[in-house]
Amino acid sequence: MRDRYRPWLAALLAFLFPGLGHAFLRKWGRAFLWIATIVVGGVLLQVLYGTVPSDPNVGVVEYSESLPADVVLPILLLTLLSVLDAFLVARRQNAEKRGRRAAA
């Protein structure tokens, strides 16, 4: 019997949008926590480094190109940790499911 949760799919979804992989695994609290951590962390880093644009007409591409590495790298690290966590949670859920199946 196939495992219900595919770790690689959870990891891919978490990479596309942090928290989405956890939502796929139906871990709603973890999904919200990852989304909140990355959004709040990103906003705080931008405020801390003064990279919040004063011109509301600045495009997303122009704005993202001007972000310093001090802002981008922590957000990237948090995203990769979210990917790893989603992958490991899916593997753990599959192992628990196999254990219950073997016990039955």
Side-chain angles (χ1 to χ4, degrees), residues 27-80:
K27 296 291 186 182
W28 307 112
R30 262 186 139 113
F32 176 75
L33 187 64
W34 277 111
I35 292 169
T37 299
I38 292 173
V39 168
V40 169
V43 168
L44 287 176
L45 283 168
Q46 290 177 24
V47 169
L48 178 68
Y49 286 97
T51 59
V52 178
S54 56
D55 182 13
N57 296 324
V58 173
V60 173
V61 174
E62 293 88 9
Y63 176 64
S64 63
E65 289 175 349
S66 67
L67 286 174
D70 292 339
V71 173
V72 174
L73 292 178
I75 294 171
L76 182 60
L77 178 63
L78 285 173
T79 302
L80 293 177

Side-chain angles (χ1 to χ4, degrees), residues 1 12-13 16 21 30 56 66 70 78 92-93 98 103-104:
M1 188 170 240
L12 176 66
L13 291 171
L16 294 176
R30 262 186 139 113
S66 67
D70 292 339
L78 285 173
R92 187 182 70 228
Q93 284 182 320
R98 282 191 296 269

